[in-house]
Amino acid sequence: APERLRALEGRVVAATRSVLGFDHFEYRLTDRRTGQLELVFCSGLVPLGIGERIFARAEGNGISGVVATTGLSVVCGETEQDPRYVRGLPGAHSSLTVPLRLHDRVVGVLNAESTDRDRFDDEDRLCAELFGRYVALSLNTLDMLVAERCETNRTIVGQLARETATPLAGIADDARALLARSGDPEAAAIAARLIENAAKVDELMRAAAKGPRGVLGADDFLREGMRDPVFEGREVLVADDEESI
């Protein structure tokens, strides 16, 4: 997942510069659990300071918070005259913030800034909105790939952990019995190592079953009891020409 994300970042940044002509910009995704707008891609903007965070809220979270909440783009011709603006580019005078839409849902924002006044116009807005849809779709596809990998890994390792639990417990019990009866220091040390290693294997199994965490939000689908409201009360048919499926 990290390698895929880096590859996607390189392509998105390059395309944003060449297609849209933006030099200073950032892409943020909305954490669906907290509402925080978390940085995914950035080029030429100063990151927020330590402890500073912005959320998808209309008040006190900059223009990005407004756009993430309303789903409406904002073209700011002079940042000094807009009280909602939060510093990003030193000496910035204009900005363009558009929603990243996945179908009919806003999943994040693209924020571009410039030191020139009135740098962005309606054509820039339209192009950025369209381009943002492709970026949102790409990130969502990567999210699903990571979620699939996590779920598969969790299932396989979880099953393996259950199957090895009894043999590992047997090894640990035998080692404890040997440790209790043995008067040989060397044998006692070996038994102690067996107990320790059996515990380590069990711990590693449990940790691996949790699966890796990659792109923002990928683990939402793995949370027990979590359901996307879009699918409530619906049935999904998956059709494929493979006989087993």
Side-chain angles (χ1 to χ4, degrees), residues 2-3 20 70 86 100 144 214-215 222 234:
E3 292 178 1
L20 299 180
T70 64
V86 175
L100 300 180
M144 291 190 292
V215 182
L222 307 184
R234 296 173 181 266

Side-chain angles (χ1 to χ4, degrees), residues 121-136:
D121 56 22
D122 204 48
E123 183 177 351
D124 292 320
R125 177 187 63 80
L126 290 171
C127 292
E129 287 176 350
L130 178 60
F131 185 76
R133 289 181 178 270
Y134 288 100
V135 174

Side-chain angles (χ1 to χ4, degrees), residues 10-201:
R11 294 178 180 180
V12 169
V13 170
T16 304
R17 290 173 176 166
S18 62
V19 176
L20 299 180
F22 300 164
D23 294 320
H24 310 285
F25 54 87
E26 63 182 5
Y27 287 86
R28 291 182 177 273
L29 286 182
T30 306
D31 188 315
R32 295 171 63 184
R33 285 172 290 176
T34 65
Q36 182 177 345
L37 289 170
E38 297 200 16
L39 186 65
V40 182
F41 307 140
C42 182
S43 177
L45 294 185
V46 177
L48 294 174
I50 297 175
E52 292 183 321
R53 296 181 297 174
I54 57 175
F55 295 84
R57 299 170 188 164
E59 299 292 336
N61 289 274
I63 298 176
S64 293
V66 175
V67 172
T69 303
T70 64
L72 301 176
S73 300
V74 173
V75 179
C76 179
E78 177 50 74
T79 57
E80 294 180 356
Q81 297 177 5
D82 194 327
R84 301 173 298 178
Y85 175 76
V86 175
R87 64 168 182 81
L89 173 66
H93 284 285
S94 60
S95 68
L96 168 64
T97 311
V98 302
L100 300 180
R101 290 186 175 276
L102 183 63
H103 308 303
D104 59 347
R105 181 163 58 93
V106 177
V107 297
V109 297
L110 160 59
N111 177 57
E113 301 185 15
S114 173
T115 55
D116 299 329
R117 290 179 174 82
D118 297 315
R119 160 63 177 80
F120 306 102
D121 56 22
D122 204 48
E123 183 177 351
D124 292 320
R125 177 187 63 80
L126 290 171
C127 292
E129 287 176 350
L130 178 60
F131 185 76
R133 289 181 178 270
Y134 288 100
V135 174
L137 183 61
S138 300
L139 287 169
N140 183 66
T141 301
L142 185 54
D143 259 355
M144 291 190 292
L145 289 172
V146 175
E148 179 188 33
R149 179 71 60 84
C150 291
E151 179 63 20
T152 301
N153 181 71
R154 189 180 70 166
T155 302
I156 293 175
V157 177
Q159 181 178 352
L160 183 60
R162 288 190 295 272
E163 292 176 354
T164 58
T166 300
L168 284 174
I171 292 173
D173 290 342
D174 291 343
R176 291 190 191 96
L178 180 63
L179 183 62
R181 298 176 184 178
S182 176
D184 183 356
E186 184 176 350
I190 293 175
R193 286 199 300 271
L194 282 172
I195 297 172
E196 181 182 355
N197 288 332
K200 284 183 178 178
V201 171

